[in-house]
Amino acid sequence: MAKSREEIFEEVRETLVEALAVEPEEVSENATLTGDLGAESIDFLDIVFRLEKCFDLKIPRGELFPDDLLNNPDYVSSGRFTDAGLTKLKQVMPHADFTGFEQDPDVNKMSDLFTVKTLVNYIESKLAA
């Protein structure tokens, strides 16, 4: 039987509580992994590993957290995503909400795209595939 969105959220919450040593009530759908939950770059590898194990799926490198866009001059110029970069980012991260980011596509704000909701959306789409 397929997991409900709420079940996925609860398992993602539990994963983040364990990986980041945060309290369950800190893990809301809108919480950002770095800003609100204190994740660092090394934590992203641990989170991916734990999500793979928890949901019994394979998350290809760079699929959940794209890492190859920032060094491409077609996608980033003067510390901001270009129109092509924003288009590419949306293409590789269909699970993220770009509403606020589109207004100010500063590369330093890219981490704001990685929310608990982003993870839940990603896992939900992977399980449905």
Side-chain angles (χ1 to χ4, degrees):
M1 187 172 142
K3 292 182 188 266
S4 71
R5 182 172 179 83
E6 184 59 32
E7 289 170 319
I8 294 169
F9 171 76
E10 288 303 325
E11 290 183 38
V12 167
R13 171 185 273 166
E14 188 176 311
T15 298
L16 294 173
V17 165
E18 292 171 9
L20 302 175
V22 295
E23 295 298 321
E25 56 273 6
E26 293 178 75
V27 184
S28 67
E29 278 212 356
N30 293 321
T32 61
L33 299 184
T34 54
D36 296 325
L37 302 179
E40 297 178 2
S41 57
I42 191 73
D43 294 317
F44 286 83
L45 294 172
D46 186 34
I47 291 167
V48 167
F49 172 75
R50 289 172 185 265
L51 290 173
E52 286 179 328
K53 189 173 177 185
C54 178
F55 292 100
D56 192 30
L57 49 84
K58 179 70 180 140
I59 301 173
R61 183 175 187 265
E63 186 175 272
L64 180 55
F65 305 114
D67 55 4
D68 59 344
L69 302 177
L70 297 175
N71 297 323
N72 186 327
D74 291 335
Y75 298 148
V76 175
S77 177
S78 302
R80 301 176 66 74
F81 278 93
T82 63
D83 289 342
L86 201 50
T87 298
K88 181 66 174 176
L89 197 56
K90 288 178 181 179
Q91 194 176 48
V92 298
M93 291 182 62
H95 42 276
D97 179 4
F98 289 89
T99 307
F101 187 74
E102 286 178 305
Q103 307 307 312
D104 184 14
D106 185 316
V107 295
N108 296 313
K109 295 181 180 180
M110 183 178 172
S111 63
D112 292 346
L113 294 172
F114 303 114
T115 64
V116 175
K117 184 177 182 178
T118 301
L119 296 181
V120 173
N121 290 345
Y122 176 82
I123 296 296
E124 190 174 43
S125 70
K126 288 293 274 190
L127 293 177

